[in-house]
Structures are given as structure tokens and as C-alpha cells.
Amino acid sequence: MAHMRLCIFTEPQHGASYADQVKAARTTEEAGFEGYFRSDHYLTMGGFDGLPGPTDSWVTLAGLALETSRVRLGTLVTSATFRHPGPLAISVAQVDEMSGGRIELGFGAGWYEEEHQAYAIPFPSVRERFDRLTEQLEIITGLWGVPAGSRFNYSGTHYSVVDSPGLPKPAQSPRPPIIMGGAGPKRTPALAARFADEFNVPFRSAAEAARIYRVVDDACVLAGRNDLPVKSAAVTVVSGRTDAEVRSRWGGEVLDTDSGEGAVIGTPDKIVNDLGAYVEAGATRLFLQLRDLRDTDLIELIAAEIAPQLG
């Protein structure tokens, strides 16, 4: 596990101010993690109150780009239903420049219908959402990739681009890494094989992650490319130095949950053992999700007692 890459992953829609996110990102950087990533949602879920309300992912990341200096920043994942592809390409490129080239774009089709209803965002069928995601990927990579002084054109079913200069360019060359992921059997692996630099399996068991990685490998063969450079997994981490501390973070429930469904719960040695299964499954990067991003003590605990054992 000497080459495992570790990032902290947060879900601010469950309840966090911008100041909370700055503190979490700075703690993540100071603790030595590779990246600080956040979700892209406008409505809470899972019983959280969501106060003080949602924060826009790319507005937040622009601020964090100036509040940090080393840690990589990005989304898991930006929803293609939230933004038009041209403005999104501009926003991501600008934040990449603001950060000095530390941005990664996690990108997906969108799935949470209630948040679309709550904030007047159209929510088309699954087929149309994936069709739009495909066109957005073609446009965003096209805008970033067209040489300066040239023009980019695109004609699709849902979007068209006419004589775009494709500016601004991101700081990273040829572009910021694109992360795609999920558990879909066909379209997601195929799109990842065409466009992605990393495939992420969110909140699944290690055995299921291994199965999905094999599906993605097969999609890469069909697309005529090598395996994706990075395979990763998002895993919820609930830990403490003692069982009592773990119970406190878990909410007082009995600790009979293992890493079966994308959550690892226990003292540091158990966490290391459970995360090791994802390494054996083929993951080379882990996104460790905090249930409460204001719990910066947990970030420091992971850095001190779990991360060293994972490299």
C-alpha cells in the first residue's frame, strides 16, 4: 500500500458554511493529504438538516483555490444538468488558473430529482441526461483542446458551438484531469473510456469495486486505449482512537458494520485493514468521506494514525 493516494471528500449540502469548508480544506492540506474534494448538490439528503443551506461547488472551489496552496481540489461529481457546457468549461479553466493548476473535474449525468425540482432545474430522462453528458464532454474537451488562435465548432442534438475561440485555457496541460464514475454497466464505462483520466466507484464494497473496474477495463479495450491511469473509490470513514469515540461519531449505534457497502467503521487498525481490501481490488486513490466536514479532528486522526499505514 506504499503508493496509495488519499483525499478527503465532503458533502457540504448536508450542512456547512463557506468558512467551514475553508477550515476543512486547510486542515486537509496541513495534514498532508493529496486532495480536498466536495460534492455538487443543492439539496440535503439522508436526514441532515442542511443548514445553513447549499453552497455552489465551483464558487466554493474558486475561493478555496485562493485559501490553499498545495492540495488538489475538485468535485465528485459535477452534474451535467446544472450548467451549460461552455460556461462550465470557462469556470473550471478559470478556477484551475486561480489555483495554479490544482483542479480536477469530476463529471456525471446527475441523478437526484428532488434537488432539480427544488431549484427549478430541468430533469430529463436518464437517456437524455446521458446524451447531454456525452455532448458536454465533447464540447468541454474540445474547447480546452482547440489551439489558441483557432476556432472550435460543434453540432449536436442538444448543444451547438459556433466559432468559439475556446478561451480561457486551463493552467494544466493538456487539461485538468477528468474523473468519471458510478456503477452503470454500459454508458458510464464507455464514456469513461473515451474521456476520463480516472474512474471512481462511489460507496460500494471492495468486491463490487473490483468487478466494476473489470467492466471499465473491458470498455477501454473496446475504445482502443490502455486502462485508465487511475482507479479510485469513495469510502465513508468513521473512526476514533477508542470504541467509545467511534460510537460517538457514528451516532451511538452498535458497531456491527464492516466495509460491506462503502463504509469503514472502527478504530484505526480496523480502518487500515478494511481500506486494504480496496487496494487489493485495484484502487490506487481513495476519497475518504466525512459524515461531518466540521469534524476536523477526524481529518487529523486519519492523517496521524491511518494514512501512514496506507502510505
Side-chain angles (χ1 to χ4, degrees):
M1 291 190 284
H3 297 93
M4 176 54 59
R5 301 160 59 190
L6 299 178
C7 301
I8 294 297
F9 172 53
T10 65
E11 302 214 42
Q13 77 275 3
H14 293 327
S17 66
Y18 173 67
D20 294 327
Q21 294 175 73
V22 170
K23 182 177 180 181
R26 285 177 171 170
T27 303
T28 297
E29 180 168 83
E30 292 163 2
F33 291 95
E34 178 182 87
Y36 176 86
F37 285 70
R38 59 154 290 164
S39 60
D40 188 11
H41 282 296
Y42 292 135
L43 195 67
T44 190
M45 60 197 81
F48 295 90
D49 61 23
L51 297 174
T55 51
D56 184 88
S57 62
W58 287 101
V59 172
T60 300
L61 290 170
L64 296 181
L66 303 180
E67 300 277 6
T68 59
S69 61
R70 179 197 59 80
V71 70
R72 296 192 66 80
L73 302 165
T75 52
L76 276 184
V77 295
T78 288
S79 173
T81 58
F82 288 174
R83 301 165 183 88
H84 293 297
L88 178 60
I90 291 170
S91 295
V92 177
Q94 181 181 1
V95 179
D96 194 48
E97 188 274 331
M98 292 168 68
S99 71
R102 293 184 283 127
I103 289 298
E104 304 188 23
L105 172 62
F107 206 29
W111 63 271
Y112 189 25
E113 184 174 7
E114 287 83 352
E115 70 185 337
H116 293 73
Q117 295 172 342
Y119 288 98
I121 303 168
F123 188 71
S125 68
V126 172
R127 178 185 294 275
E128 182 176 332
R129 294 202 305 276
F130 272 94
D131 290 345
R132 287 179 177 272
L133 173 63
T134 302
E135 292 189 19
Q136 289 211 16
L137 284 161
E138 291 174 339
I139 291 169
I140 290 169
T141 56
L143 290 170
W144 288 342
V146 67
S150 299
R151 299 284 170 166
F152 175 73
N153 291 275
Y154 177 85
S155 178
T157 301
H158 302 286
Y159 306 102
S160 295
V161 180
V162 179
D163 289 338
S164 174
L167 299 174
K169 299 300 184 191
Q172 296 176 83
S173 180
R175 55 170 173 74
I178 293 175
I179 306 168
M180 300 189 71
K186 294 182 179 180
R187 295 197 69 174
T188 298
L191 284 175
R194 286 183 61 192
F195 295 103
D197 303 285
E198 176 176 344
F199 193 90
N200 178 266
V201 175
F203 310 113
R204 299 293 193 279
S205 68
E208 180 67 0
R211 184 195 67 77
I212 295 171
Y213 295 150
R214 291 192 293 270
V215 173
V216 175
D217 289 343
D218 291 342
C220 287
V221 171
L222 290 175
R225 68 175 289 188
N226 295 328
D227 295 347
L228 294 184
V230 182
K231 295 186 178 74
S232 62
V235 185
T236 302
V237 175
V238 181
S239 189
R241 293 175 176 82
T242 65
D243 284 347
E245 189 175 337
V246 176
R247 287 191 181 91
S248 176
R249 284 198 167 96
W250 186 234
E253 302 169 32
V254 293
L255 302 180
D256 59 357
T257 302
D258 58 25
S259 60
E261 296 299 331
V264 292
I265 303 167
T267 53
D269 287 344
K270 181 179 184 299
I271 298 294
V272 170
N273 182 70
D274 290 346
L275 291 179
Y278 290 90
V279 180
E280 294 174 2
T284 56
R285 182 153 80 155
L286 294 176
F287 292 83
L288 307 180
Q289 184 209 40
L290 307 184
R291 299 177 78 221
D292 180 0
L293 69 79
R294 287 168 286 203
D295 187 3
T296 53
D297 288 343
L298 178 55
I299 298 175
E300 294 171 344
L301 171 64
I302 295 171
E305 301 199 20
I306 296 172
Q309 299 185 67
L310 294 171

